[in-house]
Amino acid sequence: MSDTGEIIKTLGDFGRFQWRLLVLVTLATPSLAFHMFSQLFMVLEEPHHCNTSWFNAIGLNLTEEERLNLTLPKKPDGTFEECLMYTPVDWDLDAILQYGLNSTEKCRRGWVYPSNQEPSLLTQFDLVCDWEDLNDISQSIYMLGLLAGALVSGLLSDRFGRRPSLLLSMLIEGVFGVATAFAPNFHLYIAFRFLVGASVSGVVISSLALATEWVGIVYRPHTVIFSHAAFSVGQMILAGLAYAFRDWRTLQLAGSAPVFALFFYLWILPESARWLVTKGKTEEAKKLLQKASSVNKRAIPLKLLDELKPEKTVSAGIWELFRNPHMGKVTFVLSAVWFVSSLAYYGLSLNVGGFGFDIYLTQAIFGAVEIPGRLSCIFLVQWLGRKKCQSSALLLGGACCLLIAVIPKGRLEWGGARRQPDWQA
């Protein structure tokens, strides 16, 4: 009796068929980076102040600057308060000029954004003052969607196949990614983002499972690394899109709609032969394996195909990982590594606007430096081994994070302190 791994070794561990498959699943990866970091460019810091239109009927002949000086309190540095206004009164202009306004309150009629820039999430839904935390909450809910998607998509992929799970995840990603651009309120925007996050996990899990199950064991890291490199390319593409489209709805459409261009997956994306065999669909698996051998120009002995039988699978829960002491230790260590790596990576990547540099350039650099870092892992893992490579990377990353923490704040800003907007100067 032969197994799928033996046949794949015969038709080629990483031939033309596997290369084509890797390219296909990689095409779906850049959009994942867009959804992960696009909100950073939709909620850029923007000057704002309370809407004091109540004063328009009183100070008809005053300039905008004079009106603001009378209706908005100032901070110790001389700039206007962003979340406070003087309490409206029924006095005439002379009385206000003579006695002034002293009582303050929170913004009553919304906010004004003097810069008149393209609409962003911040200006569209007033994510300022008491509502500014909604931005972080929205990103957290997106991450919660990633978690939910990871838990569900793995089960779907095992039950119905890698191909259907991937296609369904891409469909959800495209539909709700585009729907997000038309969200009429921020609560619906958050709900759509949750679903997009769930679909992103589905795309990652299903695509990597599909790609790695078609290659030999030695080449499995290569497929994962190339997919991750495509994610970095997506970060660079995001920087370009965000620079070109400043309106958040247009940016959302530009990053979400291209996934529909991959509709041809319906006809050319293969299923995993390994999965088919485990489900007892050996005839379908044989046809796919023969097709792969034809593309790779490597013949499979008929004896091997005839001896291909369904593989026995044992249903096991996650707790099975901890029944064996060694496996439990490895699982614990890898979980800790993923936790600290994600904490540092996303902590930096989701704060590209806080480094004092141009956010578009910073985003592009973040993506660019990851590409050689990821691709070099192919050689470093072979040279040092997985354990030494992982330990060295953790030590280097931790040391750099500690060095960043001790750099004086002013040194991180491009050319010193940031320039105040003209309306606050």
Side-chain angles (χ1 to χ4, degrees):
M1 187 177 76
S2 60
D3 59 18
T4 314
E6 185 179 354
I7 295 178
I8 289 179
K9 186 176 182 179
T10 301
L11 64 85
D13 284 338
F14 205 84
R16 185 179 299 178
F17 179 86
Q18 286 92 339
W19 266 113
R20 290 180 179 178
L21 178 60
L22 180 58
V23 170
L24 285 177
V25 298
T26 300
L27 288 176
T29 304
S31 64
L32 308 184
F34 172 86
H35 293 299
M36 183 70 72
F37 303 115
S38 61
Q39 187 167 306
L40 300 175
F41 299 90
M42 300 178 185
V43 197
L44 295 177
E45 184 178 347
E46 191 165 340
H48 58 275
H49 62 80
C50 294
N51 182 355
T52 57
S53 57
W54 68 271
F55 193 76
N56 292 344
I58 301 175
L60 292 175
N61 297 323
L62 298 180
T63 64
E64 178 70 10
E65 183 179 358
E66 291 172 332
R67 184 177 64 82
L68 294 178
N69 282 323
L70 291 174
T71 57
L72 295 176
K74 289 189 175 181
K75 301 177 183 178
D77 61 1
T79 59
F80 292 117
E81 289 282 358
E82 298 174 328
C83 303
L84 294 175
M85 58 181 282
Y86 286 123
T87 303
V89 296
D90 295 330
W91 303 351
D92 58 25
L93 181 58
D94 292 334
I96 293 176
L97 291 174
Q98 181 177 357
Y99 300 105
L101 301 176
N102 296 313
S103 177
T104 61
E105 63 179 31
K106 292 183 179 180
C107 301
R108 182 183 297 185
R109 299 181 179 179
W111 292 264
V112 174
Y113 305 93
S115 61
N116 293 321
Q117 296 180 5
E118 293 289 339
S120 66
L121 278 175
L122 185 146
T123 60
Q124 192 89 46
F125 301 119
D126 290 328
L127 303 181
V128 295
C129 299
D130 290 343
W131 303 103
E132 64 181 350
D133 290 339
L134 285 178
N135 177 39
D136 295 332
I137 292 173
S138 171
Q139 191 65 37
S140 298
I141 291 178
Y142 173 82
M143 292 295 185
L144 185 62
L146 289 178
L147 174 61
L151 296 174
V152 174
S153 60
L155 297 175
L156 293 177
S157 181
D158 289 339
R159 178 71 181 276
F160 301 104
R162 313 325 189 189
R163 182 178 181 274
S165 179
L166 175 58
L167 293 175
L168 177 62
S169 297
M170 291 176 62
L171 178 62
I172 295 174
E173 176 195 355
V175 170
F176 287 100
V178 170
T180 301
F182 299 96
N185 57 67
F186 197 66
H187 295 92
L188 199 57
Y189 170 87
I190 292 177
F192 288 159
R193 286 275 292 169
F194 175 85
L195 294 173
V196 170
S199 69
V200 166
S201 284
V203 173
V204 172
I205 291 174
S206 301
S207 62
L208 289 182
L210 180 59
T212 55
E213 289 177 357
W214 266 109
V215 301
I217 295 177
V218 176
Y219 291 96
R220 286 180 182 176
H222 297 63
T223 61
V224 176
I225 291 171
F226 275 112
S227 179
H228 285 183
F231 184 88
S232 302
V233 172
Q235 291 181 265
M236 300 174 66
I237 294 174
L238 168 61
L241 289 176
Y243 185 82
F245 304 107
R246 304 300 176 93
D247 184 320
W248 79 271
R249 295 186 188 274
T250 306
L251 174 60
Q252 182 67 32
L253 282 174
S256 302
V259 72
F260 291 112
L262 302 178
F263 70 94
F264 62 88
Y265 277 17
L266 287 169
W267 294 279
I268 66 174
L269 192 68
E271 180 55 273
S272 167
R274 293 178 186 269
W275 180 84
L276 289 171
V277 172
T278 60
K279 294 299 180 180
K281 302 178 180 181
T282 54
E283 293 305 317
E284 294 181 42
K286 290 178 182 179
K287 291 179 181 179
L288 280 176
L289 290 169
Q290 288 176 322
K291 179 180 179 181
S293 66
S294 175
V295 174
N296 287 351
K297 300 182 187 291
R298 299 277 295 272
I300 302 176
L302 293 178
K303 182 179 179 181
L304 280 179
L305 287 176
D306 292 337
E307 293 178 352
L308 183 62
K309 302 296 181 182
E311 299 177 2
K312 293 183 178 180
T313 58
V314 179
S315 178
I318 188 173
W319 296 111
E320 293 294 328
L321 294 171
F322 298 94
R323 288 186 179 275
N324 181 288
H326 176 72
M327 183 63 70
K329 182 178 69 172
V330 172
T331 301
F332 175 78
V333 171
L334 289 180
S335 298
V337 168
W338 269 106
F339 177 81
V340 297
S341 298
S342 298
L343 189 65
Y345 178 78
Y346 291 113
L348 293 172
S349 298
L350 294 175
N351 193 38
V352 294
F355 288 91
F357 304 107
D358 180 85
I359 187 173
Y360 305 100
L361 178 61
T362 305
Q363 179 64 47
I365 292 175
F366 264 51
V369 297
E370 286 185 15
I371 295 176
R374 294 181 187 276
L375 295 179
S376 63
C377 290
I378 297 176
F379 309 101
L380 291 175
V381 168
Q382 293 177 345
W383 178 40
L384 297 176
R386 289 167 171 76
K387 184 176 179 179
K388 291 182 179 179
C389 188
Q390 179 70 80
S391 301
S392 302
L394 288 173
L395 288 173
L396 178 61
C400 290
C401 288
L402 291 175
L403 288 175
I404 291 175
V406 300
I407 297 177
K409 183 178 180 181
R411 300 290 183 180
L412 293 176
E413 295 184 355
W414 185 267
R418 295 179 182 176
R419 180 176 178 269
Q420 293 180 357
D422 294 336
W423 71 278
Q424 287 193 344

